[in-house]
Amino acid sequence: MRFDVVTIFPGMFGPVFQQGVIGRAIERGAIQLHAHDLREHTHDRHRQVDDMPFGGGPGMVMKPEPVIEAVEALRGANPGPVILMEPWGERLDQELAAELARQPGLIIVCGRYEGIDDRVRSALQAREISIGDYVLSGGEIPAMVLIDATARLVPGVVGDPGSLAQDSFVDEMTGWPQFTRPAEYRGMTVPDVLLSGDHARIRQWRRQQAAQRRVPHNKELKKT
Ligand code: SAH
């Protein structure tokens, strides 16, 4: 799967995705990630990507031409859908990440300022995605969240597929408390049941714990 990101800060992506599971997947070629500088698609001397909002108001708006041309330049290499990160978009959850992970690629546009000129959405037939009901200063961190959540569901990215199956939101009985060695540390012990070797009891205990742990405002779990 191939991820192309259009951003005014392409340098933000390298440091984040050189690390850990995603970093190793990129090294192995299981996924590809390319961050592209939006300013490469400006036509003026100042390489301007923003301008004042029609109708007035504070702040600046991302101009349509550089974004549309940047995405068009990627279309040959990446056949996937175009995604605009926007706070008012469709909410990212595990189910949406799983759906996106079945695509051959994604072209992700990161907004800045007051947002992106609305003509971009229709011109690119883009899908808007939000990572939650709060406003960040740019689409780069949201894009990273989307890429991470999606990439780890691409076959071959996470080494042990069993760990995906037991993730929270995937298996309804997950999110249970986890413990590893030492069995006692500063007088804090591990629940006896986990040392019992009785797998039926362990499963039952985990199910109970996971149910108790759920934060009340979390929405109903969906099966992916
Ligand atoms: N005034 C705008 C906020 C723009 S924030 C509004 O109220 O809608 C600037 C950019 O940051 C957005 O274009 C988007 O790309 C990104 N962004 C901010 N919060 C986000 C969120 N919760 N999810 C996805 N993208 C977000």
Side-chain angles (χ1 to χ4, degrees), residues 62 84-89 109-116 129-140 142-143:
M62 285 181 89
L84 307 182
M85 303 313 304
E86 289 288 13
W88 44 265
V109 178
C110 304
R112 280 271 155 182
Y113 320 108
E114 294 299 322
I116 305 167
I129 296 180
S130 165
I131 63 162
D133 288 347
Y134 39 82
V135 178
L136 300 168
S137 49
E140 286 75 13

Side-chain angles (χ1 to χ4, degrees), residues 7 18 29 46 58-59 73 92 98 124 139 145 148 152 154 160 166 180-181 184 209 223:
T7 165
Q18 270 154 26
H46 301 292
L92 178 65
L124 297 177
V145 171
D148 191 296
R152 57 195 296 287
V154 173
D160 178 357
Q166 70 150 39
T180 185
R181 286 181 287 187
E184 185 179 342
Q209 292 289 316
K223 285 273 180 197

Side-chain angles (χ1 to χ4, degrees), residues 191-202:
D192 286 337
V193 60
L194 298 179
L195 310 176
S196 69
D198 180 341
H199 293 289
R201 258 183 72 214
I202 291 173

